[in-house]
Structures are given as structure tokens and as C-alpha cells.
Amino acid sequence: MKICATVAETRAACRRAHTNSKRLGLVPTMGALHEGHLSLVRAAKAQCDAVAVSIFVNPTQFGPSEDLAKYPRQFERDCELLKKEGVAILFAPSAEEMYPKGEVTWVIVEGLSERLDGRSRPGHFRGVTTVVSKLFHIVEPDAAFFGQKDAAQSALIRRMVRDLNLPVEIVICPIVREPDGLAMSSRNAYLSPGERLRALALQRSLRRVEEEFRAGEKSVSSLIAAASEVFAEEPQVRLDYFEIVHPDTLDPVEQVSQPTLVAVAAYVGCTRLIDNIVLSF
Ligand code: PAF
């Protein structure tokens, strides 16, 4: 695995991999890798001839009171995992390398960037779409792999790629869960044993909505009321949002009449967790 810290060496390595092996896949990450990330790498390996991974804890997607400084970093362990998966190129730049001094250019997906997590984390999606478009320009992948857990992020990236005619296929891979149903996340490492148990409320609320939907309930207000009961039983989990929206536009819907995204974000202690399901017929 070639480890690159600069844009120039990454671009050169990716261009070489591209010519030698035709289809190049990119898995963008912020490190602290878990099975969810590795499932993206495996999907990329299955669909591409060579795989590049980026590890970059992107400062521009963290708000001033968020967890940038304490975000888990375990570079050596991540490298070992990626080597075992047969990754060809690892791009691990510094913040200075990614953001040249005085940079004033942003990529903003208007409207969508203020929905769901964008409403409670102002500027978050501007940071995500800016860094992902930079990664696309540096790596020039044929396909890029993201997790469905960040459903709103996936919608924004798909829309950015469409609107800017970027020549990259976006592949969204299923959520990977712990045996008890908790969606895998690097932030799960922050949870105390008690919080780890309480965190299951997110998954329970989604399951309750799925059950009501399967029993014939299509009204979004009734489905949200069912989810609220779960959070009422778990007062130490502070709901940020529970929304039922169109999976591409993230617009709220009133009735479930087509595949619909049910997304939740909640604070368990100081840790903000997200999860989602798609209701389909
Ligand atoms: O999903 C993530 O880990 C990050 O938002 C991403 C896509 C790597 C951009 O920093």
C-alpha cells in the first residue's frame, strides 16, 4: 500500500493505478476505521481494479463546539487494516495540505445542506461537499463508496455529482450494525457502558416506525408519534431530529407513498449519533 501525504504524490499514484488497472475506486474516510468502513473497501475491491482510501479528519465539517480535537485517531491501526484489505493507495494529508492558506472557495449544495444534520450542524455539509469534491479532483476515481448511515450526506454528494457533472459513480453501501442493532460509528467509542445501552433507542425508534408502516400506517405524523413514544421511554437520550423525508431531496413528506427515508439523530450523553432506514413497498 502506497501511503501519500501530499496532493501531488496522490494524484501521480492514482493516475498510475488508473492506467494500469482501468477502474479506480475511492473510499473517503476520517479514519478510526470499523467494519462499516471495511465493508466500503470490500465493495470497492469487488467493483474496481484498484482501491484508494483517504483518511482525513476534515476540520471544515466540524462546528466550533464539536468534537474535532477529540475525534478518534488511530492511524497505525487503520494502515494495518487497509493493508490487509489490499488497498493500493492511502491518502492521508495534513489540514495544511488539504486547505492551502487563504482558501476561500466552497462547494455548497443549496437547500439540501440545511436539512437534517445541516440544520443542527450549520456549515457541516458545506465542509463535507467541499472536501469530497477536492478528494474527487485529487484522486479522480471512477467510483466512490459511501455508507447509507450518513443518508443525508449521501443525498448531498449524489446531488453535487449530478449538478457539477462530475465523472464519478457514487455507490451507497448498506449500514453495518453491531449484533444488537446499533449502527457502527467511530463515535460509538465515546459511549460509556450505560450510554451504549441507551443508544439502542435510535434503532428501536426506527424499528417501531417500520412495524407501524408494515401494519398499514402511512401517515407521517402518526409514524413520528410512534417513534416519540420510544424516546419518551428513554429520557436520557436527547432527540435532535426524527424526520421522514424524500431520500433524494430530503423534503419532508406527509404520507409514505414511495421509498422514504426515516432519519434520526440524538445525543446519548455528549455523543451525537445518527441512524436511518428506508421504508419501501
Ligand atoms: O463520512 C465521512 O466520514 C466524512 O464525512 C467524509 C465523507 C470522509 C468527508 O470528510
Side-chain angles (χ1 to χ4, degrees):
M1 181 170 78
K2 182 166 175 52
I3 301 178
C4 309
T6 68
V7 169
E9 60 180 334
T10 307
R11 184 168 280 143
C14 291
R15 286 195 174 161
R16 269 197 308 276
H18 223 233
T19 35
N20 293 344
S21 47
K22 301 188 198 86
R23 189 170 153 88
L24 178 64
L26 169 66
V27 180
T29 81
M30 298 206 300
L33 303 178
H34 51 65
E35 275 301 311
H37 298 110
L38 299 182
S39 75
L40 304 181
V41 173
R42 288 171 198 144
K45 285 277 290 177
Q47 296 180 36
C48 301
D49 302 297
V51 176
V53 172
S54 61
I55 294 183
F56 179 59
V57 184
N58 174 33
T60 65
Q61 68 188 75
F62 288 79
S65 60
E66 292 184 349
D67 56 344
L68 172 62
K70 72 164 189 166
Y71 194 83
R73 288 162 173 86
Q74 41 188 50
F75 187 68
E76 301 305 324
R77 182 178 171 272
D78 289 348
C79 286
E80 288 313 308
L81 289 170
L82 295 175
K83 272 186 210 154
K84 276 196 204 125
E85 296 295 332
V87 166
I89 299 162
L90 171 60
F91 178 41
S94 64
E96 296 69 36
E97 180 69 14
M98 259 330 241
Y99 291 104
K101 211 163 187 286
E103 173 173 335
V104 291
T105 305
W106 297 99
V107 176
I108 300 171
V109 181
E110 286 191 354
L112 272 78
S113 63
E114 282 107 51
R115 307 261 158 78
L116 300 182
D117 310 275
R119 194 175 316 117
S120 27
R121 303 182 66 190
H124 168 68
F125 283 133
R126 179 183 80 158
V128 170
T129 44
T130 300
V131 83
V132 169
S133 58
K134 284 159 85 77
L135 290 168
F136 286 173
H137 287 296
I138 295 163
V139 174
E140 299 172 319
D142 297 286
F145 296 76
F146 297 88
Q148 169 66 18
K149 185 171 78 69
D150 298 290
Q153 167 174 288
S154 299
L156 268 96
I157 290 169
R158 288 197 308 267
R159 188 60 175 266
M160 171 183 85
V161 163
R162 193 201 78 157
D163 289 358
L164 297 181
N165 308 100
L166 300 181
V168 52
E169 181 194 347
I170 300 301
V171 182
I172 307 300
C173 301
I175 299 178
V176 178
R177 297 184 179 281
E178 301 285 356
D180 62 6
L182 184 70
M184 287 200 183
S185 162
S186 305
R187 290 189 167 96
N188 291 351
Y190 300 150
L191 301 172
S192 69
E195 290 170 345
R196 173 67 186 69
L197 273 177
R198 289 194 282 281
L200 294 173
L202 279 83
Q203 164 66 3
R204 270 205 307 281
S205 67
L206 295 171
R207 277 214 311 269
R208 180 80 61 89
V209 166
E210 170 107 58
E211 281 159 21
E212 295 286 322
F213 172 71
R214 293 279 158 237
E217 185 59 77
K218 302 288 182 290
S219 149
V220 162
S221 55
S222 304
L223 293 171
I224 290 182
S228 306
E229 287 171 14
V230 173
F231 288 100
E233 289 155 13
E234 200 62 88
Q236 291 187 63
V237 175
R238 186 161 57 86
L239 191 60
D240 178 1
Y241 66 72
F242 192 100
E243 289 200 43
I244 301 189
V245 298
H246 188 285
D248 296 327
T249 63
L250 307 181
D251 285 333
V253 296
E254 287 182 2
Q255 290 285 321
V256 181
S257 56
Q258 57 182 356
T260 300
L261 175 68
V262 185
V264 59
Y267 288 90
V268 184
C270 296
T271 307
R272 186 175 180 280
L273 299 176
I274 58 173
D275 199 351
N276 68 82
I277 53 169
V278 175
L279 298 178
S280 45
F281 291 85

